[in-house]
Amino acid sequence: MKEILGQIKEQVIAGFKSAGYDEKYAMVTLSNRPDLCQFQCNGAMAAAKEYKKAPIAIANEVVEKLADNAMFSKCEACPPGFINMNLSDEFIAAFVSKMADDTERFGVDKVSTPKKVMIDYGGPNVAKPLHVGHLRSAIIGESIKRTARFMGDEVVGDVHLGDWGLQMGLIITELKLRKPELVYFDENYDGEYPTEAPFTISELEEIYPCASGKSKEDPAYKEAAMTATYELQHGRKGYQALLSHILNVSVNDLKRNYEKLDVTFDLWKGESDAQPYIPDMVQKMKDDGFAYISEGALVVDVKEDTDTKEVPPCMILKSDGASLYNTTDLATMVWRMKDYNPDSIIYVVDKRQELYFTQVFRCAKKTGIVPADTNLYFVGFGTMNGKDGKPFKTRQGGVMRLEYLLAEVEEKMLEKIKENGTMNDEDAEKTAQIVGLSAVKYGDLSNQASKDYIFDIDRFTSAEGNTGPYILYTIVRCKSILTKAGVSSFDGAILPAHSESERALQLELTKFMAALSSAYEDMAPHKICAYIYDLANAFNRFYHDTKILAEEDEAVKASYLKLLWLTRGVLEKAIDLLGFKAPERM
Ligand code: ARG
């Protein structure tokens, strides 16, 4: 259904036109003085210049044309030329009734021209445990993906594993040192390699930091790792067999972790999948005259006249012929275009990689890897900091593993649930998991992605304030009243508001469509958070000054319950798009 501002605007346009003014002046916004009115139009002020008339005169003429319009309970001209409007209670109630009757989408239409979108998010590195640095990409990307899908786009999410590079050579080198007898290291071996991996995930997670530490101290060790990496990348069979073991073991573990976060990927492709596309891609760049040798390396210029900061050339191959992070990202675009031909690709990556992506995007467009009409978006996110304002660390000062972070939050939630003390242990644990995840995700998503934020476990897990648990409490409150009332279907309509707080709640509900489409267009989940926080507040105010179940007039009670049902539905839909769920009880 058409969103509320659009519906109002239609009427105001009609008003301007019939009063003889251009419709371009009929802009309508939410009021910035909610104490005076709900909506406003400032167009008469702008029209005054063109028509050489006092703004108030124009406003008066338009208002006159709208005087009998049933949409408004108030439509008045105020000096110097504002048009202030309130919707009639009947109109608002009919609008929200219609939302409630659309039991799946609550009035939100799909976009008229759905797009094919690819989202590159998560970006974990194989053989290294998931740490909090990967948390934001997963959380934000998942929400952008769910929102775009709900709006009707065809969306493919790709985890884009970091599975190519020195870390592989490091692991191989360390493994060779520890278990030189393994067949993978025998260059003359030409039989089948074992299907069982020669290490477990915990061994793998211990091997990598150990090797990485050694390589920093010992140049010979680092040299060996670089050679191993080179040999792996140039087809040494035993190493490639090891690589697939490393991948399998790692990916299984990553999947388990992402499951806990309720994050799922359609594709589990990695940097290594792009490698076969590199030679042809590079050849074409050379043939087309885009790539040239500079100081030994192969580069493509990507600076533009309008740049205010220097944008260095995009390096395609190092002087020793080795490929780079760039090369892999470009080659990844090659298969993405070939296999999926998306209308846009969205990268959800740490904002410190912004310049890098500027280079890669320009290079992709310039060399024709990505056609001009395909949109490449960089959604850069800031750092998750600890209370000291520095990147989040464990108490010992190490990198915090995602698993431990989640466990810590769950424990905190469990404590709180046990304090309230009405649940058995099993239910309490399940609930702590659900609510804990809401605390982490909402704590992240409620900030604009590009900003840094402070991970404050006490604040995030609090049931008061702008938090995940607060939203969940509100949903659970709605559910519990509905359960007590014992109704599950709602035939009648929602009636015009009976009180100020009910009017405010109904009005807030009308804004759902607009909030979602702006979150979708701007790839900005924080807009969904801001909306549901307002909605939850409006609901709780209504709840506190209304006797719902004790209401004697059956029609009014039925209307309240339907309003409650709609509020619950909108909130639950919104949190689903944010990537978490509500429990039955809390
Ligand atoms: N693996 C990378 C990292 O940990 C992130 C990958 C981001 N995506 C991309 N297409 N480059 O920093």
Side-chain angles (χ1 to χ4, degrees):
M1 63 198 265
K2 189 163 187 139
E3 59 101 8
I4 194 88
L5 273 178
Q7 292 201 21
I8 300 171
K9 197 171 163 184
E10 256 171 26
Q11 303 305 312
V12 178
I13 284 179
F16 270 81
K17 278 164 95 176
S18 64
Y21 299 105
D22 195 302
E23 66 171 77
K24 72 173 183 240
Y25 295 112
M27 49 264 212
V28 178
T29 56
L30 287 180
S31 160
N32 51 21
R33 288 284 306 273
D35 53 325
L36 293 181
C37 60
Q38 298 164 346
F39 299 91
Q40 68 188 59
C41 167
N42 302 347
M45 249 90 72
K49 287 193 197 79
E50 179 179 337
Y51 296 97
K52 304 204 171 49
K53 255 190 190 175
I56 189 72
I58 298 175
N60 270 321
E61 287 170 52
V62 174
V63 162
E64 213 166 283
K65 299 288 178 194
L66 295 173
D68 301 324
N69 195 311
M71 187 185 270
F72 303 108
S73 62
K74 168 170 112 173
C75 180
E76 58 188 25
C78 296
F82 299 113
I83 300 173
N84 291 349
M85 292 163 279
N86 279 346
L87 294 173
S88 71
D89 288 346
E90 290 71 21
F91 179 82
I92 299 176
F95 190 99
V96 290
S97 276
K98 219 171 142 202
M99 282 175 76
D101 291 335
D102 178 5
T103 55
E104 297 289 322
R105 304 187 59 88
F106 310 107
V108 179
D109 295 330
K110 294 190 175 179
V111 291
S112 49
T113 43
K115 289 177 305 221
K116 195 189 267 185
V117 180
M118 265 190 115
I119 308 188
D120 178 315
Y121 71 111
N125 299 312
V126 165
K128 303 186 198 169
L130 270 187
H131 62 77
V132 298
H134 295 114
L135 182 69
R136 297 211 69 192
S137 180
I139 292 179
I140 299 166
E142 180 74 14
S143 177
I144 293 178
K145 181 187 78 176
R146 292 183 185 204
T147 305
R149 211 165 258 172
F150 181 66
M151 296 306 285
D153 284 346
E154 190 187 321
V155 190
V156 179
D158 180 14
V159 71
H160 199 72
L161 284 175
D163 59 356
W164 194 252
L166 189 61
Q167 84 249 38
M168 298 301 160
L170 284 167
I171 294 165
I172 292 173
T173 306
E174 183 58 27
L175 203 60
K176 192 170 174 183
L177 218 62
R178 296 184 185 190
K179 303 181 180 172
E181 71 285 358
L182 293 175
V183 289
Y184 306 94
F185 302 114
D186 177 357
E187 278 190 90
N188 299 318
Y189 182 79
D190 61 359
E192 295 269 313
Y193 289 104
T195 47
E196 185 94 359
F199 40 71
T200 63
I201 183 68
S202 5
E203 284 171 306
L204 198 56
E205 287 183 355
E206 179 266 323
I207 290 177
Y208 174 73
C210 164
S212 156
K214 283 187 187 175
S215 80
K216 281 181 194 124
E217 317 258 278
D218 178 355
Y221 189 97
K222 178 154 192 201
E223 189 62 41
M226 279 163 67
T227 310
T229 309
Y230 182 89
E231 289 178 337
L232 166 70
Q233 298 188 348
H234 289 79
R236 182 161 165 174
K237 274 179 52 202
Y239 289 4
Q240 288 185 330
L242 275 179
L243 174 69
S244 32
H245 285 314
I246 299 175
L247 275 177
N248 279 337
V249 170
S250 242
V251 166
N252 279 335
D253 185 59
L254 286 171
K255 284 192 175 155
R256 189 178 59 79
N257 268 288
Y258 281 124
E259 216 165 276
K260 281 197 191 157
L261 273 180
D262 208 349
V263 167
T264 52
F265 299 94
D266 306 295
L267 297 179
W268 277 82
K269 297 273 198 185
E271 295 174 353
S272 65
D273 292 291
Q275 304 310 314
Y277 298 91
I278 291 179
D280 286 353
M281 175 184 86
V282 171
Q283 191 56 47
K284 189 168 181 308
M285 285 179 180
K286 286 187 195 160
D287 292 348
D288 294 345
F290 293 120
Y292 66 96
I293 303 284
S294 163
E295 294 170 33
L298 188 72
V299 303
V300 172
D301 280 333
V302 291
K303 62 172 190 288
E304 288 171 3
D305 294 342
T306 48
D307 289 344
T308 50
K309 271 189 290 190
E310 194 198 329
V311 183
C314 190
M315 203 197 281
I316 308 296
L317 295 177
K318 288 200 277 193
S319 47
D320 62 1
S323 58
L324 301 112
Y325 186 46
N326 300 4
T327 331
T328 300
D329 262 318
L330 289 164
T332 299
M333 291 180 182
V334 174
W335 71 251
R336 284 182 178 163
M337 292 317 299
K338 180 171 87 57
D339 296 352
Y340 292 89
N341 192 25
D343 300 300
S344 53
I345 310 179
I346 302 170
Y347 292 81
V348 186
V349 183
D350 191 312
K351 72 175 176 199
R352 284 169 292 189
Q353 295 190 29
E354 179 157 22
L355 175 63
Y356 164 79
F357 275 100
T358 303
Q359 293 173 294
V360 169
F361 288 177
R362 286 184 184 180
C363 182
K365 289 269 163 114
K366 181 171 178 180
T367 58
I369 292 173
V370 170
D373 58 356
T374 300
N375 292 307
L376 300 172
Y377 295 107
F378 176 71
V379 178
F381 52 81
T383 309
M384 175 174 135
N385 289 324
K387 277 190 181 163
D388 57 0
K390 300 205 184 92
F392 195 85
K393 292 268 162 61
T394 59
R395 267 182 229 118
Q396 291 74 32
V399 174
M400 176 66 122
R401 289 177 57 153
L402 193 54
E403 259 181 295
Y404 300 160
L405 177 89
L406 288 181
E408 203 171 295
V409 175
E410 268 168 37
E411 201 172 304
K412 184 108 202 172
M413 280 321 314
L414 192 60
E415 255 168 51
K416 295 195 180 194
I417 292 170
K418 286 196 168 152
E419 265 165 38
N420 296 346
T422 52
M423 269 185 220
N424 66 37
D425 286 359
E426 195 187 324
D427 286 350
E429 260 162 52
K430 262 195 222 138
T431 309
Q433 234 175 46
I434 299 176
V435 184
L437 189 61
S438 84
V440 172
K441 287 195 162 184
Y442 192 94
D444 187 306
L445 294 169
S446 52
N447 302 285
Q448 198 178 328
S450 60
K451 300 227 167 87
D452 297 348
Y453 73 93
I454 289 178
F455 186 87
D456 181 341
I457 190 168
D458 295 318
R459 188 168 79 73
F460 288 6
T461 56
S462 165
E464 278 152 41
N466 189 7
T467 68
Y470 171 65
I471 304 292
L472 298 193
Y473 262 110
T474 309
I475 294 174
V476 167
R477 177 172 274 166
C478 291
K479 286 191 191 181
S480 105
I481 300 168
L482 288 165
T483 311
K484 275 194 204 133
V487 282
S488 54
S489 67
F490 304 89
D491 300 329
I494 294 173
L495 301 174
H498 304 83
S499 64
E500 188 49 48
S501 65
E502 188 186 0
R503 179 176 303 114
L505 171 60
Q506 292 193 13
L507 190 63
E508 203 53 51
L509 282 163
T510 64
K511 298 173 191 164
F512 181 47
M513 284 128 244
L516 266 198
S517 44
S518 109
Y520 161 72
E521 276 160 27
D522 298 348
M523 295 174 270
H526 73 275
K527 296 194 168 175
I528 298 180
C529 295
Y531 172 70
I532 59 176
Y533 181 53
D534 285 348
L535 179 58
N537 282 337
F539 172 76
N540 286 315
R541 251 175 261 130
F542 165 72
Y543 170 80
H544 283 297
D545 58 45
T546 313
K547 294 212 167 19
I548 298 170
L549 290 173
E551 172 60 49
E552 280 165 13
D553 184 327
E554 283 304 319
V556 175
K557 182 170 160 186
S559 166
Y560 284 162
L561 290 173
K562 187 165 180 169
L563 186 61
L564 227 74
W565 183 86
L566 174 62
T567 306
R568 180 219 48 97
V570 166
L571 288 174
E572 273 199 310
K573 174 49 76 188
I575 62 167
D576 177 51
L577 300 180
L578 295 174
F580 55 91
K581 297 184 189 62
E584 285 311 308
R585 306 191 293 138
M586 265 169 95

